[in-house]
Amino acid sequence: MSSPETQVHRPLRILDLFAGPGGLDVAAHFLDLPSIGIEWDRNACETRYAAGLPTIHADVSVMRESRFDEIPTSVDVLAGGPPCQSFSVAGKGAGRRALDTVKEFIHRLVDGEDEAKIDEDLHALGDPRTALVLEPLRWLLKAIETEGRDPYKVIVLEQVPAALPLWQVYAKLLRGGEGRLQGVKYEADCWELKTEQFGVPQTRTRAVLVARLPGEGAIEPLEATHLPFDLHRGKRRAAQADMLPTDAALPATRRRWLSMAEALDVASAREGSPVDVSRLRTGGRTKFFVVSNYGSGGDPKNRGRRLSSEPAFTVTGKISRNKVYRNLGEYEAGRSDRFTIPESGVLQTFPHNFPWSGNDQAQQVGNAVPPRLGMHVLARAVRGDTPSEEELAAATTWPVVPASTTDELRAIGCGDQSRCPPDSHKVTRSPRTSAP
């Protein structure tokens, strides 16, 4: 595996749309697949520069429309997770209500309808983020229709579960190769994946699409490495709980899900780690419980709780609002703690020392794809296998990136700032530390 510094100068293979702070790019790094990301949020770009991840600070649509020629021709994997807020159950749901309409837009794009008219109708939906789910398809069509470009060999997309019907439409059209696809056909499939079943210490479900050109065999579903977490465990009667399998009875190929305490303990034990859970230890054990920022069943007074011996709630941009208590005494006294940004990142399976930078770091963490899940998805899509134990073990620590590399990447990604998203550099950058 090469370092982030050397990957800057290697032929790029993966284009990560809506790249955020780098969930998929971190996964690609540990699989030795050089990538470049497009990201409009300046703060997320600062994290990416600090981590040594090649980045273009730009709007995905603008890049496609007017700067497509800047994407290296070596890129043969198109990946991305379009903004999910309008589809998310935590949002207002404009995307969920418009699912059938968005399906029609997908067909209209492939059928060759005038894109100006399509853009006008998309604007009428109200939430501009809903339209972004079409961008990966538009990037594929652009590659097919641009002279000197080849269709992407592999496509990897992820979103909240509510978007699965859209991925199913994508998959059907990619398999058909009709209209503007010009006979280009893919093997394609999509699934709902639970993150805790892939070693991520949180419960989070994602809709994932994988497509690739024929010749590499059929796409096989991902094989879970861990058991699912029982979200309804508190409602089970004691007699039912006794019937659940013990660790000794688990299948040899599937382990129990990973808990918050286990993940944080490992990160805290790393030399020089910014994660320090000593404040959460009682009697030599990391022991606490978390009260969620979200109300259960829509009732803010009935907020969910998780024990440290269980996976975390879905890590969102509001994770810093979750309250952490060591015991009931602290809860009754109102003395709560909070997860730090590095701790929140670990619950997302970012390396313990990942160099979070810029502002809105909690939002950056929450918006990211869990890198460990990304490793499983990319390995299956690009290589047709699963990450090795050595690759997964290496993914817990991020290589130190020299400040010169960060500066070089910022110069490449932002240049004179004239082509960055309007007004994005008016926000004051938070100071960061890095190796000389």
Side-chain angles (χ1 to χ4, degrees):
M1 179 185 67
S2 57
S3 70
E5 184 177 12
T6 58
Q7 285 200 351
V8 171
H9 304 288
R10 293 177 59 195
L12 297 161
R13 284 210 60 192
I14 298 176
L15 173 63
D16 186 6
L17 307 179
F18 314 104
L24 279 177
D25 300 82
V26 169
H29 167 77
F30 287 112
L31 296 175
D32 204 24
L33 299 170
S35 65
I36 186 170
I38 302 175
E39 175 53 42
W40 74 272
D41 179 69
R42 187 203 54 77
N43 292 302
C45 287
E46 283 301 317
T47 292
R48 295 177 60 85
Y49 300 148
L53 298 173
T55 306
I56 301 174
H57 183 199
D59 180 275
V60 165
S61 301
V62 172
M63 285 296 302
R64 171 180 53 81
E65 293 168 355
S66 61
R67 301 174 60 186
F68 189 76
D69 61 336
E70 296 179 31
I71 302 302
T73 56
S74 60
V75 166
D76 60 4
V77 180
L78 180 68
C84 67
Q85 288 89 340
S86 64
F87 293 95
S88 173
V89 294
K92 295 183 179 179
R96 297 196 306 279
R97 292 191 295 272
L99 273 177
D100 289 339
T101 303
V102 176
K103 290 178 186 179
E104 294 177 7
F105 283 118
I106 295 174
H107 283 281
R108 289 168 64 182
L109 277 172
V110 173
D111 289 343
E113 187 172 329
D114 180 63
E115 290 204 33
K117 173 59 176 173
I118 291 176
D119 287 335
E120 179 183 339
D121 292 345
L122 282 168
H123 182 73
L125 291 178
D127 191 333
R129 296 171 300 185
T130 302
L132 295 177
V133 77
L134 301 175
E135 277 298 325
L137 177 59
R138 291 178 130 167
W139 275 80
L140 171 60
L141 295 174
K142 184 84 170 184
I144 291 174
E145 296 170 349
T146 299
E147 185 176 354
R149 294 275 179 168
D150 294 322
Y152 300 107
K153 293 180 180 179
V154 177
I155 300 171
V156 176
L157 305 177
E158 66 86 32
Q159 249 275 11
V160 293
L164 185 62
L166 301 182
W167 291 164
Q168 291 169 338
V169 174
Y170 259 70
K172 182 178 180 180
L173 291 172
L174 291 174
R175 288 192 291 260
E178 299 179 356
R180 292 175 64 190
L181 292 170
Q182 300 181 16
V184 178
K185 297 183 180 182
Y186 286 82
E187 300 280 351
D189 206 348
C190 48
W191 319 275
E192 280 192 5
L193 302 177
K194 296 181 180 298
T195 57
E196 80 271 17
Q197 290 192 263
F198 295 89
V200 179
Q202 67 168 296
T203 54
R204 185 190 196 106
T205 304
R206 305 301 290 179
V208 173
L209 176 141
V210 171
R212 63 182 179 215
L213 293 175
E216 302 296 330
I219 296 173
E220 299 292 337
L222 275 70
E223 299 175 4
T225 56
H226 294 66
L227 290 172
F229 179 68
D230 184 5
L231 293 173
H232 305 290
R233 66 210 178 283
K235 299 180 181 179
R236 310 291 187 196
R237 295 198 304 267
Q240 291 176 311
D242 289 341
M243 296 172 63
L244 295 176
T246 63
D247 285 353
L250 299 181
T253 56
R254 297 178 70 188
R255 292 161 278 180
R256 182 180 64 83
W257 35 261
L258 192 68
S259 72
M260 289 183 280
E262 290 169 316
L264 293 173
D265 277 343
V266 170
S268 184
R270 301 288 184 185
E271 184 177 356
S273 174
V275 176
D276 181 3
V277 293
S278 59
R279 70 190 191 285
L280 300 176
R281 295 185 193 276
T282 301
R285 292 179 54 201
T286 300
K287 188 175 181 180
F288 57 86
F289 66 93
V290 180
V291 178
S292 172
N293 178 56
Y294 293 101
S296 178
D299 181 1
K301 297 180 181 178
N302 186 22
R303 301 192 185 277
R305 300 185 187 186
R306 289 279 174 91
L307 301 176
S308 55
S309 57
E310 299 173 327
F313 294 105
T314 297
V315 175
T316 72
K318 303 295 188 294
I319 187 173
S320 58
R321 298 184 186 179
N322 290 351
K323 296 183 178 180
V324 181
Y325 303 92
R326 287 187 301 176
N327 50 57
L328 287 176
E330 289 188 345
Y331 175 75
E332 292 170 352
R335 297 195 304 271
S336 63
D337 204 329
R338 310 274 178 162
F339 287 127
T340 65
I341 294 300
E343 289 164 357
S344 301
V346 166
L347 297 179
Q348 278 278 57
T349 62
F350 277 87
H352 67 92
N353 60 334
F354 194 69
W356 300 101
S357 303
N359 298 319
D360 298 328
Q361 292 181 13
Q363 194 66 51
Q364 291 184 49
V365 174
N367 287 347
V369 179
R372 188 176 178 110
L373 177 67
M375 289 180 70
H376 281 275
V377 174
L378 287 176
R380 174 67 72 197
V382 179
R383 307 188 317 201
D385 61 12
T386 59
S388 68
E389 289 300 321
E390 291 76 16
E391 288 171 331
L392 292 172
T396 59
T397 300
W398 193 250
V400 174
V401 175
S404 58
T405 298
T406 294
D407 293 340
E408 178 184 357
L409 288 172
R410 188 181 294 112
I412 295 171
C414 294
D416 62 3
Q417 303 179 5
S418 64
R419 295 203 287 181
C420 296
D423 300 330
S424 60
H425 285 269
K426 289 185 177 180
V427 181
T428 302
R429 184 170 71 246
S430 297
R432 58 170 288 269
T433 57
S434 65

